[in-house]
């Protein structure tokens, strides 16, 4: 039996679920009355989703559909980072929605600070774009997971490699 237990705090999303959500969004756009004739395109790239449509009003409609489809597939709304709306010529607008993945250094520091301040017998270390938390007690780790769920971080947190 191991003398210490640990888990990783990461920020990630299921790529296949995102692909499915974008596909469903495209299908909905082609069948919805108010969006049908707008020649709206939604393209999923490696690190962003690009939306090209008629107006800011139809862009908001596309956002609503995308958010709804993502929520139904258990994807956090925090993975979407909406860029600024730019003109795409011919009275059209384009927006890039970046996909957030990984815990930034500042957020990692906040997580480790919370753990250092509130849990004296627990170690937290930043490892790239994740935070490893280890302790001799599984109960402490459970309490930490619940504590981190209470905080409102600007990224979606998942807890992996619990051992």
């Amino acid at each position: 039996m191991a003398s210490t237990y640990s888990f990783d705090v990461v920020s990630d999303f299921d790529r296949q679920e995102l692909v499915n959500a974008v596909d469903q969004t495209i299908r909905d756009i082609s069948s919805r009355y108010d969006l049908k004739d707008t020649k709206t395109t939604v393209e999923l790239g490696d690190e962003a989703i690009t939306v090209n449509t008629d107006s800011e009003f139809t862009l908001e409609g596309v956002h609503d559909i995308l958010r709804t489809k993502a929520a139904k597939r258990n994807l956090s709304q925090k993975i979407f980072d909406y860029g600024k709306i730019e003109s795409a010529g011919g009275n059209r607008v384009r927006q890039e929605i970046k996909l957030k993945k990984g815990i930034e250094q500042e957020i990692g520091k906040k997580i480790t600070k919370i753990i250092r301040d509130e849990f004296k017998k627990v170690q937290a270390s930043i490892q790239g774009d994740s935070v490893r938390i280890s302790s001799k007690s599984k109960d402490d780790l459970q309490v930490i997971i619940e504590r981190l769920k209470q905080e409102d971080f600007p990224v979606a947190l998942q807890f992996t490699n619990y051992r």
Side-chain angles (χ1 to χ4, degrees):
M1 189 162 127
S3 60
T4 60
Y5 304 98
S6 67
F7 69 91
D8 293 336
V9 181
V10 297
S11 178
D12 203 356
F13 56 88
D14 186 345
R15 178 80 181 173
Q16 187 58 49
E17 291 295 343
L18 182 65
V19 168
N20 293 340
V22 170
D23 286 346
Q24 285 182 334
T25 301
I26 293 168
R27 242 182 269 127
D28 266 23
I29 289 169
S30 65
S31 66
R32 243 177 76 164
Y33 172 74
D34 58 339
L35 299 173
K36 193 183 291 184
D37 298 325
T38 59
K39 296 183 178 72
T40 299
T41 61
V42 180
E43 298 170 8
L44 175 62
D46 288 340
E47 296 181 13
I49 300 170
T50 305
V51 180
N52 191 331
T53 189
D54 273 356
S55 66
E56 289 187 32
F57 178 74
T58 56
L59 186 63
E60 282 303 313
V62 172
H63 286 177
D64 289 343
I65 295 171
L66 181 62
R67 282 193 285 261
T68 304
K69 298 301 179 186
K72 284 183 180 176
R73 300 196 155 272
N74 294 327
L75 293 170
S76 172
Q77 303 299 310
K78 294 179 180 180
I79 66 169
F80 300 123
D81 183 17
Y82 298 95
K84 75 175 198 179
I85 300 169
E86 39 189 63
S87 174
N91 292 333
R92 296 182 64 78
V93 293
R94 176 182 26 223
Q95 183 179 36
E96 191 171 90
I97 304 169
K98 288 191 171 49
L99 302 170
K100 290 195 240 176
K101 201 173 196 177
I103 297 177
E104 296 172 9
Q105 200 72 23
E106 289 300 312
I107 297 168
K109 286 179 183 177
K110 283 181 188 174
I111 291 171
T112 56
K113 183 175 180 352
I114 289 170
I115 292 168
R116 261 186 286 126
D117 292 347
E118 297 180 21
F119 305 95
K120 302 299 181 203
K121 295 181 179 180
V122 179
Q123 294 81 39
S125 61
I126 299 172
Q127 298 183 336
D129 59 357
S130 68
V131 178
R132 163 105 3 117
I133 298 172
S134 55
S135 171
K136 292 187 180 197
S137 166
K138 282 186 176 181
D139 295 336
D140 287 348
L141 296 181
Q142 293 290 337
V143 171
I144 290 170
I145 290 174
E146 291 306 313
R147 173 65 180 94
L148 291 177
K149 285 181 180 177
Q150 292 171 2
E151 284 291 315
D152 186 30
F153 291 104
V155 294
L157 296 181
Q158 290 86 31
F159 307 99
T160 60
N161 293 338
Y162 187 84
R163 47 181 148 206

